[in-house]
Amino acid sequence: MSSLSKSAFWLTVSKIVTVGINMLIVMLLSRFRSLEEYGTFSQINIVNTVATSIIAIGLPSGINYFLNRTQDDAKKRDFLSVYFTGGTLLGVITALLLGILLPFIVGFFKNSDLYYYWFAVILLPWITLFNSSSDNFFVSYGKINHLIFYRMSYGVLLMITAGIFSATKGSFYLYMIIYIGLQVIYVLVLYYLIFRISGGFQIKFNISLIKEVLAYCIPLGIASIISTLNIELDKIIVSGAFDTETLAVYTNAAKELPLNMLTVSILTVVLPKMVLLVNNKKQDDALDLWGISIRMSAIIICFAVAVLFVFAEPIITILYSEKYLVGANIFKIYSITSLVKITSWGIMLNSTKNTKKLLNVSVLTLLCNLILNFLLLWLLGINGIAIATLISEFVGVVLKLYFTAKITDKKLLQLIPCKKLLIILGVNILFALVFSTGYHLLIKILSDRWYWPITIAVGFIWLFLYLCLMYKPFKNLNRKFNNF
């Protein structure tokens, strides 16, 4: 196994385990906490997500570029000094601002319980900024083992905490204190590990480097802010239009399931390679590598989307309990939205430093989503909000491909293997139609008492046949992937 493929493999294993643990935490909180408590938890996460996108100003996206563009350890340490100094300062400033704005946040959500969890509101943005950066740090230094240990131990401790408080029905307030406390400890551990791995960094403000970093990251950061608002817009509108319990249901139904674990792992190791290829004037090779990674991800994600759509009700019951079944239609809509996760559609724009074009895409997508949200909420109710997100996500993909075609001087259909992707998608749609028909027919004939045995049996048969069909194509793609 090549180093590129090996890194992708172990990153995938790490993400499968840690995301699985996070899903278990969500399952425990959904089942054993009230809708009001889980709704409050969701509101804290909305504030955190929006605030983090603002303070990050694209910094996590710049790690791959600035740590992989040179082999000079001193220059790498200069970047890390700027990153950790600036990121920490931003975390402190954000905590102060969120503390001041807390009454306005409480007023918007119409939930006074948020006052009790002020510590979570002000600390989570700083925590999230550095936790979201950890993968890129460890991968850039080739420390995959450190990353796996960091992620897995972190997730296990959080899961144990959630399990104990769920089993004992302990105070949700005390749970949140421990939940935040553990995350603070792990961020400090990250500071220490990167300090040791890099050979040491300092509290430092290198003005020329700061300007260079900001020139690269700010367009990405603004695009990220707008993209985050685009992603969170539906939840923000639901928060304003409906009560906390409805938000709890919508949040879980619209939750992004970890379908893109393979995609993220592949892209984490592919992006540095693409940057190198582009810098060496090998643009066509970079596009070929990207196309291979897209097809590999599509084989997995298209299947997962089909399964989630067909088995939406049993999956919701398993993940969140029956009290969330009212959100089944929203869950199905968001399953389709996951099709855009087969790759980062702006990866070539990132690799060629055309980050301002990503900003243009984000603005246009947000405007589209905003208009559609209000229009479809009026026409279709709460389901219309989810449909608005679905449409705007695909609009964003088309726009990113359009700009990529412009900067690479390629036709849009030359950028990605469209025909092969349509074949993969078509196979999965056909499988979904056949197995959905058979599944519902069997339940109707054999009655509801056979519901779970039929669900499991149909699911395993579907998986087996799909593996038989796609094993050889995936193996061939993996071989090509390893050749880079």
Side-chain angles (χ1 to χ4, degrees):
M1 188 180 291
S2 73
S3 60
L4 193 66
S5 184
K6 185 177 181 180
S7 296
F9 172 77
W10 284 111
L11 274 172
T12 302
V13 170
S14 171
K15 288 181 182 296
I16 288 172
V17 174
T18 55
V19 171
I21 289 171
N22 289 333
M23 286 302 301
L24 285 173
I25 293 171
V26 170
M27 289 169 65
L28 289 169
L29 294 179
S30 299
R31 288 176 176 276
F32 298 106
R33 308 313 308 196
S34 68
L35 284 173
E36 183 71 30
E37 287 173 333
Y38 191 79
T40 300
F41 185 74
S42 299
Q43 290 166 348
I44 293 171
N45 282 328
I46 290 172
V47 174
N48 171 45
T49 302
V50 174
T52 302
S53 70
I54 294 172
I55 70 164
I57 57 171
L59 287 173
S61 301
I63 295 171
N64 272 331
Y65 179 77
F66 285 97
L67 286 184
N68 288 287
R69 68 173 180 168
T70 179
Q71 297 300 315
D72 188 329
D73 289 337
K75 289 183 178 180
K76 289 184 177 183
R77 286 194 293 271
D78 283 343
F79 170 73
L80 290 173
S81 297
V82 168
Y83 192 96
F84 277 88
T85 302
T88 304
L89 183 60
L90 285 171
V92 172
I93 294 172
T94 303
L96 292 173
L97 287 175
L98 287 174
I100 294 170
L101 294 172
L102 188 58
F104 298 97
I105 295 170
V106 170
F108 175 78
F109 288 112
K110 300 181 289 291
N111 183 6
S112 59
D113 286 349
L114 288 170
Y115 279 122
Y116 297 109
Y117 305 105
W118 61 270
F119 52 90
V121 173
I122 70 170
L123 288 176
L124 272 174
W126 166 69
I127 291 168
T128 305
L129 171 62
F130 281 96
N131 268 332
S132 66
S133 305
S134 61
D135 288 20
N136 292 333
F137 282 133
F138 289 124
V139 170
S140 293
Y141 279 98
K143 302 295 183 180
I144 301 298
N145 290 339
H146 286 69
L147 172 59
I148 292 171
F149 176 78
Y150 180 85
R151 283 291 180 204
M152 290 180 64
S153 61
Y154 175 54
V156 167
L157 284 174
L158 290 179
M159 185 186 68
I160 290 172
T161 303
I164 291 172
F165 276 86
S166 297
T168 61
K169 298 182 179 180
S171 163
F172 189 64
Y173 179 75
L174 181 58
Y175 166 75
M176 287 298 294
I177 290 176
I178 297 174
Y179 172 76
I180 297 299
L182 283 173
Q183 294 191 74
V184 169
I185 290 171
Y186 264 80
V187 171
L188 297 178
V189 169
L190 178 67
Y191 276 59
Y192 172 75
L193 289 175
I194 301 303
F195 182 86
R196 291 291 301 272
I197 291 168
S198 66
F201 51 82
Q202 306 169 0
I203 299 174
K204 188 175 182 180
F205 292 96
N206 182 329
I207 302 301
S208 61
L209 181 56
I210 289 174
K211 288 180 179 178
E212 187 179 2
V213 170
L214 292 179
Y216 179 87
C217 292
I218 284 180
L220 284 174
I222 297 173
S224 177
I225 292 169
I226 297 171
S227 177
T228 299
L229 287 174
N230 194 25
I231 293 169
E232 297 296 318
L233 183 62
D234 55 349
K235 300 179 189 67
I236 293 171
I237 291 176
V238 170
S239 297
F242 301 93
D243 57 27
T244 303
E245 288 83 355
T246 302
L247 175 64
V249 172
Y250 188 93
T251 298
N252 272 355
K255 189 177 294 295
E256 181 181 341
L257 295 177
L259 302 187
N260 63 334
M261 288 185 296
L262 177 66
T263 302
V264 172
S265 299
I266 290 175
L267 291 175
T268 301
V269 295
V270 163
L271 181 56
K273 185 69 176 179
M274 290 184 66
V275 170
L276 183 62
L277 289 169
V278 170
N279 287 340
N280 290 333
K281 311 300 181 184
K282 296 181 179 180
Q283 180 178 278
D284 288 342
D285 287 342
L287 287 172
D288 287 342
L289 177 59
W290 185 33
I292 291 168
S293 72
I294 292 174
R295 289 163 62 192
M296 290 175 70
S297 298
I299 288 173
I300 306 295
I301 290 179
C302 288
F303 169 73
V305 168
V307 170
L308 288 174
F309 191 91
V310 172
F311 296 125
E313 285 80 7
I315 289 172
I316 290 173
T317 302
I318 292 170
L319 292 179
Y320 311 124
S321 79
E322 292 182 352
K323 62 186 176 184
Y324 289 88
L325 281 174
V326 292
N329 287 334
I330 295 168
F331 184 87
K332 290 179 179 180
I333 295 167
Y334 264 85
S335 297
I336 299 172
T337 305
S338 297
L339 288 173
V340 304
K341 307 300 180 183
I342 62 173
T343 190
S344 169
W345 298 101
I347 192 169
M348 277 300 294
L349 297 174
N350 275 332
S351 299
T352 54
K353 298 177 70 174
N354 281 278
T355 51
K356 290 183 180 179
K357 295 191 184 301
L358 290 174
L359 173 59
N360 295 335
V361 172
S362 297
V363 171
L364 292 172
T365 305
L366 178 60
L367 289 174
C368 174
N369 197 11
L370 186 63
I371 294 168
L372 288 174
N373 259 282
F374 287 107
L375 176 63
L376 296 182
L377 172 63
W378 177 62
L379 291 173
L380 303 172
I382 196 168
N383 289 334
I385 298 175
I387 294 172
T389 300
L390 170 65
I391 295 171
S392 63
E393 285 280 348
F394 282 97
V395 168
V397 168
V398 173
L399 289 172
K400 286 175 183 176
L401 288 176
Y402 170 77
F403 283 120
T404 301
K406 287 287 187 183
I407 61 104
T408 58
D409 197 27
K410 301 281 185 181
K411 293 181 179 179
L412 194 143
L413 294 180
Q414 292 178 314
L415 293 175
I416 57 174
C418 295
K419 290 182 180 178
K420 293 175 181 177
L421 288 177
L422 285 174
I423 290 172
I424 294 170
L425 181 61
V427 166
N428 279 282
I429 291 174
L430 181 61
F431 267 95
L433 290 172
V434 170
F435 280 95
S436 177
T437 302
Y439 172 60
H440 289 101
L441 187 61
L442 283 172
I443 290 176
K444 186 176 180 180
I445 294 171
L446 297 177
S447 78
D448 288 342
R449 64 177 180 170
W450 292 95
Y451 181 80
W452 288 109
I454 292 170
T455 300
I456 294 169
V458 171
F460 271 111
I461 294 170
W462 187 352
L463 175 61
F464 174 75
L465 293 176
Y466 189 73
L467 286 175
C468 290
L469 183 64
M470 290 297 181
Y471 174 75
K472 188 174 181 180
F474 190 86
K475 185 178 179 180
N476 290 335
L477 287 170
N478 188 54
R479 177 175 50 78
K480 293 178 182 178
F481 183 70
N482 289 338
N483 289 334
F484 280 90

